[in-house]
Amino acid sequence: PFNRWPTGRGFDKYFGFLYGETDQYTPFLIEGTDHYTGDTKGKHFTTLITDKAIGYIGNQKSVNSEKPFFLYYATGAGHAPHQVDKSWTNKYKGKFDKGWDKYREEVLINQKKLGVVPEYVTVPAATNGIKPWDSLSVDQKKVYARFQEAYAGFLEHTDYEIGRLISYL
């Protein structure tokens, strides 16, 4: 029922996907309460939603530049599938080859150097079901390192698009 969709929950406009995941390059999009049929031109969802947000703000400000607005801007970052152009993913080539165990240790050391966490903090035990990196086969290590590269590239791309929106504001 549309009363449970964003426009039925108080939002004047809505553009995005309604489920926990969508293909980032051929997303199943909703605008208002209709399936979005506009040409996405092969753009990444995060770029599309940033373009749409900038358009919404520009239109609202052209009508009444003094009127405040609320924008709920929710990208697909972190949602599966983790897709982004290779130019973003390749920036992280080799960065995770030491594995998640070593990476967690390095992140904690950097957080301590930055003063983000106190010196007494230690790396917590791995979550059940997560195998030690050293127990994986060579092929598994390659696949999982690539997964991490893709995720990092996805997040950097999202950060870029957020920066584009902030620059517009």
Side-chain angles (χ1 to χ4, degrees):
F2 292 135
N3 65 345
R4 294 184 180 194
W5 287 32
T7 53
R9 298 283 180 156
F11 290 93
D12 294 331
K13 296 177 187 275
Y14 177 77
F15 180 78
F17 57 95
L18 296 176
Y19 309 106
E21 60 186 49
T22 192
D23 185 293
Q24 300 299 315
Y25 287 98
T26 55
F28 181 83
L29 296 174
I30 303 295
E31 186 164 29
T33 57
D34 296 316
H35 178 249
Y36 180 73
T37 57
D39 184 7
T40 61
K41 298 177 185 161
K43 286 185 179 180
H44 193 278
F45 171 70
T46 307
T47 302
L48 293 171
I49 198 169
T50 304
D51 291 347
K52 190 64 79 166
I54 289 169
Y56 284 167
I57 294 165
N59 287 341
Q60 193 273 330
K61 288 298 179 183
S62 71
V63 172
N64 186 347
S65 62
E66 299 302 313
K67 183 179 179 182
F69 66 91
F70 173 78
L71 174 73
Y72 183 86
Y73 172 79
T75 68
H79 290 273
H82 301 147
Q83 299 168 307
V84 72
D85 189 81
K86 286 182 182 178
S87 64
W88 295 97
T89 301
N90 288 343
K91 291 179 179 187
Y92 294 92
K93 189 79 176 146
K95 173 104 173 139
F96 302 100
D97 288 352
K98 295 179 198 173
W100 45 62
D101 298 322
K102 185 68 176 165
Y103 186 75
R104 292 172 72 215
E105 292 169 9
E106 291 174 357
V107 167
L108 182 59
I109 289 167
N110 289 334
Q111 288 175 330
K112 287 179 180 180
K113 284 180 187 173
L114 293 170
V116 175
V117 298
E119 284 297 320
Y120 65 83
V121 173
T122 59
V123 175
T127 304
N128 279 344
I130 304 296
K131 294 179 180 179
W133 187 260
D134 291 338
S135 72
L136 301 176
S137 72
V138 171
D139 286 342
Q140 287 174 316
K141 288 177 181 179
K142 285 180 185 176
V143 168
Y144 288 130
R146 190 62 177 162
F147 284 171
Q148 293 173 89
E149 293 165 5
Y151 190 76
F154 191 8
L155 293 182
E156 185 180 358
H157 175 257
T158 300
D159 188 53
Y160 169 83
E161 291 295 337
I162 292 168
R164 201 163 63 88
L165 178 58
I166 290 170
S167 292
Y168 178 79
L169 289 171

